Amino acid sequence: MTRYLFVLGLVCGQLLLCSPALQAEERDPTRYALTAGGGFSFSTHDDVDFVQLSLSALLDQDPLFQLQLPESLRFKLEGTVALTTEPDHRIMAGADMLALYFLDGLSSQWLRPYVEAGIGLAYTDFKVEGQGLRVNFRSQAGIGSEIQLGDGPPWFAAVRVQHLSNAGLDEDNAGINLICFQLGRFF
């Protein structure tokens, strides 16, 4: 599964980098956000439900790279702490980096949709059958939208598909597939 997500990420990344840049109305400075969310596992025999809090920084790509990248491309650094609610109460934590691409051609006065994909590391204070390690790699992809409700910083909502596995570092590498729903606000 990790291989398929990696290949999908590479293909999407190439399509985004080779396509004409969509123009944002104005350049976004670095912004920070607090996110609450939750989700559940799928395609494994162990059910895992969780709630989470995340803190992220959405960075403009110009200071990071000297390449000619699309104007709508941003990079997100994110730290997450989660608590499983099923099968019992255990801790999960992670750090991720994602590429976020605004679909400005679909934007309106209130909505600014985006796609995102990235990788990171995750620690689980539990192991599902065949998982092998507690520290795993996390690959993920999602869709979302910023939501402007009146004055002030925008809100955002997103859904992500995530895969946790040790990438073959351990003989046991069952992995966990998750769906995650997020609601957050920039500050």
Side-chain angles (χ1 to χ4, degrees):
M1 180 67 169
T2 301
R3 286 184 224 127
Y4 299 117
L5 288 173
F6 179 73
V7 170
L8 178 64
L10 284 178
V11 169
C12 291
Q14 289 298 316
L15 290 173
L16 291 175
L17 292 175
C18 295
S19 65
L22 297 173
Q23 299 297 318
E25 289 183 18
E26 59 186 57
R27 298 296 300 192
D28 295 321
T30 297
R31 299 183 289 162
Y32 302 94
L34 184 61
T35 308
F40 55 89
S41 64
F42 67 95
S43 76
T44 61
H45 55 276
D46 295 337
D47 292 330
V48 177
D49 296 345
F50 63 94
V51 293
Q52 72 178 26
L53 286 174
S54 301
L55 184 61
S56 61
L58 190 60
L59 309 167
D60 184 7
Q61 45 91 2
D62 280 347
L64 301 175
F65 300 99
Q66 300 302 316
L67 303 172
Q68 190 68 22
L69 297 174
E71 292 290 320
S72 296
L73 182 64
R74 301 293 181 273
F75 292 94
K76 184 188 283 188
L77 300 176
E78 185 173 82
T80 302
V81 176
L83 177 68
T84 62
T85 57
E86 290 293 331
D88 53 8
H89 298 293
R90 306 299 283 194
I91 297 290
M92 295 190 304
D96 304 290
M97 57 184 177
L98 300 103
L100 185 143
Y101 189 81
F102 285 105
L103 304 171
D104 287 326
L106 302 175
S107 295
S108 70
Q109 181 180 359
W110 299 284
L111 299 176
R112 190 176 183 199
Y114 60 85
V115 294
E116 61 185 353
I119 58 172
L121 290 174
Y123 169 79
T124 58
D125 186 33
F126 62 90
K127 292 193 291 187
V128 298
E129 185 177 331
Q131 183 177 349
L133 301 174
R134 292 181 190 272
V135 175
N136 292 281
F137 297 100
R138 176 165 45 199
S139 55
Q140 54 194 323
I143 58 172
S145 183
E146 289 189 4
I147 306 162
Q148 187 64 53
L149 301 173
D151 295 332
W155 292 81
F156 61 92
V159 61
R160 287 183 186 165
V161 176
Q162 301 177 338
H163 176 74
L164 299 174
S165 75
N166 62 47
L169 295 177
D170 189 89
E171 189 175 290
D172 292 328
N173 188 25
I176 306 171
N177 298 314
L178 305 163
I179 297 267
C180 179
F181 300 95
Q182 299 178 314
L183 179 61
R185 188 165 192 197
F186 291 99
F187 57 89

